[in-house]
Amino acid sequence: MKTTEKIGCGLLLTALLAFDVWGGDRLPAYKDAQRPVEERVEDLLQRMTLEEKVLQLNQYTLGRNDNVNNMADPVGDIPGEIGSLIYFGTSPELRNRLQYRAVEETRLGIPILFAFDVIHGFRTICPIPLAQACSWNPELVKKAAGVAARESSMSGVDWTFAPMIDVARDGRWGRVSEGYGEDPYANAVYCAAAVQGFQGDNLAEGPRMAACLKHYVGYGASEGGRDYVYTEVSRQTLWDTYLPPYESGVEAGALTVMSSFNDISGVPGSANPYTLTEVLKKRWKHDGFVVSDWGAIQQLRSQGVAADCAEAALKSFNAGLDMDMMNRCYDAHLADLVRAGKVSQERLDDAVRRVLRVKFRLGLFEHPYTPESTEEERFLRPEDLAVAEQLAAESMVLLKNEHNLLPIEKARRIAVIGPMAKSRFHLLGSWAAHGSGEDVESIFMGLEREFAGRAELSYAFGCGFDGEDTTGFAEAVSVARAADVVVLCLGEKANWSGENASRSTIALPAIQERLAREVAQCGKPVVLLLTSGRPLELCRLEPLSAAILQVWQPGVRGGAPAAGILSGRINPSGRLAITFPYATGQIPIYYNHRQSARPHQGKYQDIPSTPLYEFGHGLCYTTFSYGEPVVSCETFRRGDRITVEVDVTNTGSRDGAETVFWFVSDPVCRISRPVKELRHFEKRLLRSGETGRFRFEINPERDLAFVDEDGNRFLEPGDYYILVKDRKVKLTLVE
Ligand code: BGC
């Protein structure tokens, strides 16, 4: 029988089993879809041998791995009993073949869970997560995750290693591109949105995939912005900064969690009983499973806490790490560790239960195979591209607009210069899954369409992304001279950010800054269009540019929105989710820092001490004025609810979206608190002349309270301030 025929029979058999045509008596309880998940889990668990259990706790790879950071010999003969496979295919065919082996040719027929890194799209690549965060539109982020889930699940992927919710405040760290910026609350909100988008409304049916909260935890605190290194995270900071997004993800129902590579103050994330068991499983009651990061268990040896793989397996497993991703430690040692009594039967069963639970919840036993479909049915559908384009439009941030140079309304001759202008691939960013440069609309393509019939475009390459070749400068200068306005497209290559892509400086390479100087000397107004996977050091480029638009790495549909913002068709609405330092030497710099002992002193002698562009910064083509915030009660008692409202008026002549950020500050507390903390935000379109009333419903225990180093929330009597734009109101808690 051919494989497809076999799978056909398999499907029929599965369907028959699901419908229980032979009568409930003969159907093992775990195959009975009518029974509760927990009952099915227990029934299956008690049928499993030690070896079968151990295999469920391992993940290998399937297909051609092109992730340069994670090369390992593929496992030659994949056992059908394996728990999970990282699947590099773009069609379900290979997956179904392996699934057949698992479902039809093993004793118990436990389906395999197929995983992949779908970070900001599978084929329809959306902006990188850091850019998405600047949209302040969680609904749209959720939609984009839904698009990714559809393409992935139709291709045979059940589980994504996303969202990445590592609060990150060091732009040198390449992975800053993968998360939602510097603020814990923003990460928490976007995390919930992404989890809901990936997992859909009905886990057991339809386009969905399991989410994985990563990298648990504190990975964003990497010393010096280097990857994989030690992190110094106090319990206090763990609780107030790094854990909140994870708690939000658990509450949103994320099925899985990935442990982090970093050594958290001496106890690596992959062998940390406090974070993995105490907090995640006991306190938050997460009942899905924890997977290791790639090779992270065996890396406990490099981190100096395990002498060999057996000890590494023991430490990780007993700390609460359930599944081994390509370490080959659990498959090699776990059974022996159980036999030797070093790992308890109880702990083993707990881990297996967690993995099975996720498989049952995803409906894998009922629908183990992915239906075949054409690429046209799966990928790049117009409605999905529209989501990518809208998200790109809302995530771009207008950093500067001197004398309202933008929008470009009158210019007849536009010079488009720079290495990023015609680049397609580099707009995808890192972790672009199965995205292809051919799917991408370049900035130049977008401008051509946008300005067709209105302005004439000329182009010069100028220079490469790096290197020392200045031979393109002369052409760039002559093109700039002949134009009314210059659009200078500079930035980072896709692989300059992401994993294992740290930089010692966040400035663009010298050659690009030189090009900017040459072009600026022509005296024509320069619009700087920046593509990057991190905040950039712009102190030398900023004075050379009349306008700056940060387009990040916008994915497949960045050209049209960037051009639309330049032409005025789109009123920019992105606001920074991460601070742009004045210079790299200011790092770490973030808005929610704690107060200094001498706020008026301690400044740098050689550079300003304030950032170039703050968290929340972003311009648009209209103006908004804020009224006085009005509070429902100035004093309150525990258990009360308070409302603060503010009227915001669009005082300009164009419609525009405003994001209202509500911050909290607690000036005196037993633990010193950040100068201000974001607690709520809302983005809304206001027509020209329209006034909108924005509201912050305060639950004091949630919004005003702080957390101590044991994770206990406390609310102290005294004054609190609610800050909105440049206004503030005082609230007082009385006992
Ligand atoms: C990364 C993870 C990723 C995993 C699987 C690791 O190197 O740190 O973010 O999910 O590889 O590709």
Side-chain angles (χ1 to χ4, degrees):
M1 228 196 290
K2 288 199 324 212
T3 317
T4 43
E5 287 167 0
K6 283 197 207 166
I7 290 169
C9 293
L11 277 170
L12 182 65
L13 192 68
T14 316
L16 290 172
L17 286 171
F19 287 110
D20 193 6
V21 292
W22 293 298
D25 288 352
R26 275 196 282 158
L27 193 69
Y30 75 94
K31 292 199 170 176
D32 181 354
Q34 307 310 318
R35 293 179 189 258
V37 165
E38 290 309 308
E39 204 180 299
R40 300 176 76 188
V41 168
E42 291 312 316
D43 178 66
L44 180 50
L45 190 68
Q46 51 92 14
R47 294 169 193 265
M48 294 170 78
T49 63
L50 175 60
E51 286 68 26
E52 283 165 340
K53 287 179 181 174
V54 167
L55 273 172
Q56 281 302 309
L57 304 177
N58 285 275
Q59 180 178 62
Y60 302 157
T61 58
L62 178 64
R64 199 178 67 86
N65 180 4
D66 50 11
N67 179 345
V68 286
N69 296 313
N70 289 342
M71 286 303 168
D73 293 336
V75 180
D77 190 17
I78 296 171
E81 291 84 358
I82 191 75
S84 174
L85 292 170
I86 303 185
Y87 185 50
F88 297 98
T90 56
S91 79
E93 201 273 322
L94 180 58
R95 168 220 163 91
N96 286 346
R97 249 190 295 148
L98 253 290
Q99 194 70 301
Y100 183 85
R101 189 183 296 173
V103 174
E104 307 301 339
E105 295 175 353
T106 66
R107 198 174 71 85
L108 295 166
I110 305 175
I112 299 169
L113 185 60
F114 292 85
F116 191 53
D117 284 283
V118 184
I119 310 300
H120 51 119
F122 186 81
R123 175 76 183 267
T124 299
I125 303 302
C126 287
I128 53 168
L130 180 58
Q132 296 188 21
C134 298
S135 73
W136 299 100
N137 189 342
E139 263 312 302
L140 194 52
V141 167
K142 178 176 163 183
K143 261 194 201 168
V147 169
R150 182 183 173 281
E151 289 189 348
S152 309
S153 62
M154 288 181 76
S155 306
V157 173
D158 314 299
W159 175 26
T160 176
F161 301 132
M164 194 280 222
I165 44 171
D166 295 321
V167 171
R169 293 158 169 187
D170 188 336
R172 294 170 298 179
W173 192 48
R175 307 203 79 168
V176 77
S177 62
E178 297 174 46
Y180 300 105
E182 74 189 30
D183 181 64
Y185 175 75
N187 271 279
V189 172
Y190 285 118
C191 171
V195 168
Q196 287 157 7
F198 287 139
Q199 296 194 168
D201 297 329
N202 182 353
L203 272 177
E205 299 274 346
R208 54 81 190 103
M209 53 186 172
C212 182
L213 310 176
K214 75 181 189 187
H215 308 81
Y216 188 66
V217 57
Y219 188 28
S222 281
E223 279 189 338
R226 293 184 302 276
D227 214 349
Y228 313 120
V229 299
Y230 178 79
T231 55
E232 182 51 62
V233 189
S234 67
R235 282 281 162 95
Q236 178 61 43
T237 303
L238 196 63
W239 277 103
D240 67 43
T241 303
Y242 294 104
L243 286 175
Y246 288 91
E247 189 170 11
S248 157
V250 170
E251 275 167 14
L255 290 176
T256 71
V257 174
M258 182 187 293
S259 68
S260 58
F261 286 128
N262 52 305
D263 178 341
I264 312 166
S265 299
V267 186
S270 329
N272 196 311
Y274 181 69
T275 55
L276 296 173
T277 298
E278 277 305 307
V279 177
L280 180 71
K281 294 179 176 175
K282 291 200 177 147
R283 207 181 289 198
W284 294 343
K285 306 202 171 3
H286 185 252
D287 64 359
F289 67 88
V290 182
V291 64
S292 76
D293 203 342
W294 179 287
I297 300 175
Q298 36 165 310
Q299 287 161 23
L300 291 178
R301 292 176 304 165
S302 337
Q303 288 175 308
V305 299
D308 51 32
C309 280
E311 190 181 358
L314 176 67
K315 286 209 160 162
S316 287
F317 196 69
N318 279 347
L321 203 163
D322 305 302
M323 185 182 277
D324 166 327
M325 178 196 289
M326 280 307 278
N327 295 276
R328 309 303 308 269
C329 289
Y330 284 6
D331 55 2
H333 302 290
L334 206 49
D336 286 343
L337 290 169
V338 174
R339 283 188 209 103
K342 292 185 174 171
V343 164
S344 67
Q345 188 65 44
E346 193 190 355
R347 168 70 190 114
L348 179 74
D349 285 351
D350 170 59
V352 178
R353 230 178 240 126
R354 290 167 178 275
V355 172
L356 297 178
R357 188 177 285 140
V358 167
K359 293 185 175 188
F360 280 116
R361 285 188 182 155
L362 285 170
L364 277 183
F365 285 80
E366 284 64 57
H367 307 286
Y369 303 107
T370 304
E372 303 274 337
S373 57
T374 63
E375 287 217 353
E376 288 67 40
E377 286 166 326
R378 292 200 293 283
F379 302 142
L380 302 166
R381 296 185 312 164
E383 58 268 52
D384 297 339
L385 289 169
V387 172
E389 185 164 330
Q390 180 69 20
L391 192 46
E394 295 201 27
S395 61
M396 294 180 184
V397 184
L398 183 60
L399 295 175
K400 178 176 180 182
N401 194 16
E402 207 170 61
H403 310 307
N404 294 328
L405 172 64
L406 295 180
I408 301 172
E409 276 160 344
K410 297 210 183 74
R412 293 283 155 264
R413 291 163 307 169
I414 303 175
V416 186
I417 299 173
M420 194 53 89
K422 289 198 172 176
S423 164
R424 298 168 78 182
F425 176 75
H426 293 299
L427 295 188
L428 291 172
S430 78
W431 291 112
H434 296 294
S436 151
E438 284 166 23
D439 302 335
V440 177
E441 182 186 48
S442 70
I443 303 288
F444 192 80
M445 288 155 82
L447 288 167
E448 261 184 330
R449 270 206 292 142
E450 189 76 32
F451 287 94
R454 284 199 278 167
E456 193 186 306
L457 257 56
S458 54
Y459 164 76
F461 176 63
C463 66
F465 286 98
D466 52 5
E468 287 169 8
D469 186 356
T470 57
T471 49
F473 281 12
E475 190 198 5
V477 166
S478 92
V479 163
R481 284 216 177 99
D484 303 318
V485 60
V486 176
V487 177
L488 184 58
C489 304
L490 305 181
E492 295 190 316
K493 286 183 171 179
N495 63 358
W496 288 2
S497 57
E499 184 177 352
N500 195 17
S502 304
R503 293 177 74 75
S504 69
T505 169
I506 60 169
L508 288 178
I511 187 86
Q512 294 196 48
E513 292 200 354
R514 274 188 70 186
L515 174 66
R517 281 200 296 279
E518 297 281 329
V519 167
Q521 274 165 19
C522 302
K524 300 298 167 69
V526 173
V527 180
L528 182 59
L529 226 117
L530 290 168
T531 314
S532 67
R534 53 163 58 80
L536 296 170
E537 172 180 305
L538 298 176
C539 54
R540 288 169 303 283
L541 287 171
E542 188 270 343
L544 304 174
S545 329
I548 306 179
L549 180 66
Q550 175 69 28
V551 306
W552 303 107
Q553 286 155 333
V556 281
R557 284 294 176 273
I565 290 176
L566 262 47
S567 77
R569 175 173 57 81
I570 298 170
N571 192 351
S573 64
R575 306 281 187 269
L576 292 179
I578 192 160
T579 301
F580 273 49
Y582 176 85
T584 305
Q586 288 183 334
I587 293 173
I589 187 167
Y590 46 94
Y591 86 90
N592 40 357
H593 57 88
R594 284 178 161 85
Q595 193 60 274
S596 143
R598 294 188 179 183
H600 51 290
Q601 288 183 322
K603 311 286 183 211
Y604 292 112
Q605 297 185 8
D606 52 342
I607 55 167
S609 291
T610 49
L612 190 57
Y613 299 117
E614 292 180 341
F615 176 89
H617 174 74
L619 306 171
C620 64
Y621 300 148
T622 187
T623 44
F624 296 102
S625 83
Y626 281 62
E628 280 304 324
V630 178
V631 60
S632 60
C633 52
E634 284 165 10
T635 56
F636 66 98
R637 291 178 189 282
R638 288 175 201 280
D640 286 353
R641 293 288 179 273
I642 309 151
T643 304
V644 191
E645 292 181 330
V646 69
D647 283 346
V648 180
T649 306
N650 180 344
T651 47
S653 56
R654 284 171 185 255
D655 300 346
E658 173 68 333
T659 299
V660 172
F661 294 102
W662 297 93
F663 297 95
V664 163
S665 107
D666 179 1
V668 182
C669 178
R670 75 177 132 102
I671 296 167
S672 72
R673 292 181 63 166
V675 288
K676 57 179 189 173
E677 296 158 80
L678 186 67
R679 281 288 181 262
H680 182 56
F681 62 86
E682 187 188 349
K683 180 180 192 175
R684 213 191 290 165
L685 180 79
L686 293 176
R687 308 249 166 240
S688 163
E690 183 185 348
T691 297
R693 180 158 295 177
F694 289 74
R695 178 172 302 146
F696 177 18
E697 308 269 6
I698 301 173
N699 168 352
E701 308 288 337
R702 180 193 63 196
D703 303 316
L704 304 180
F706 203 50
V707 73
D708 68 14
E709 63 176 4
D710 292 320
N712 303 311
R713 292 190 78 72
F714 65 91
L715 186 64
E716 285 181 345
D719 296 340
Y720 296 86
Y721 290 93
I722 307 299
L723 297 90
V724 59
K725 199 82 175 174
D726 49 0
R727 317 280 163 122
K728 65 176 178 183
V729 281
K730 190 164 88 174
L731 302 175
T732 308
L733 169 62
V734 289
E735 290 285 33

